[in-house]
Amino acid sequence: ELEELGTEVLPRRTPAPAWLPAAKGEEGDFCLRSSDCAAGLCCARHFWSKICKPVLREGQVCTRHRRKGTHGLEIFQRCQCAEGLACRLQREHGPADASRLHTCQRY
């Protein structure tokens, strides 16, 4: 039926929502995934939406997830540590369990 009309069927693309900018998002802009954000940013939950947030640098507090899948339960997500850094228990001078804080540290 379509061949008779000479119409080529192209896959339909869902248009981006009007609130999503065409250019890469800057810090604080709404996003759906990290690829929507500019370099050095990731897309992370902030309340019930997602915004572009900075990737964490050395010494910044990070979130270490004990169980797989718990990252989605956070209301305020943090980005991952930058390349070359890992989220590790902060080294403290004192009792072993004095701090449960994790920070981005070099491998």
Side-chain angles (χ1 to χ4, degrees):
E1 185 175 281
L2 289 174
E3 289 177 347
E4 290 176 17
L5 300 173
T7 308
E8 189 177 72
V9 179
L10 297 174
R12 282 188 80 165
R13 290 178 136 209
T14 304
W19 54 265
L20 197 61
K24 296 284 185 176
E26 296 299 323
E27 188 172 344
D29 289 346
F30 288 105
C31 57
L32 295 175
R33 61 192 66 83
S34 291
S35 61
D36 297 334
C37 301
L41 302 173
C42 82
C43 188
R45 190 178 330 284
H46 188 81
F47 286 113
W48 292 272
S49 60
K50 293 175 96 177
I51 62 170
C52 296
K53 294 183 179 185
V55 170
L56 300 176
R57 297 183 310 265
E58 189 172 6
Q60 290 186 305
V61 174
C62 53
T63 305
R64 176 82 182 229
H65 299 285
R66 294 171 197 261
R67 285 178 272 137
K68 193 174 185 173
T70 57
H71 195 64
L73 302 176
E74 295 175 81
I75 292 176
F76 298 104
Q77 287 178 334
R78 290 185 175 109
C79 289
Q80 300 293 327
C81 295
E83 196 172 319
L85 302 175
C87 187
R88 294 190 178 143
L89 191 61
Q90 184 172 316
R91 297 177 210 126
E92 291 286 330
H93 303 293
D97 278 332
S99 173
R100 306 290 313 157
L101 201 62
H102 286 77
T103 57
C104 293
Q105 301 169 27
R106 296 224 173 263
Y107 293 136

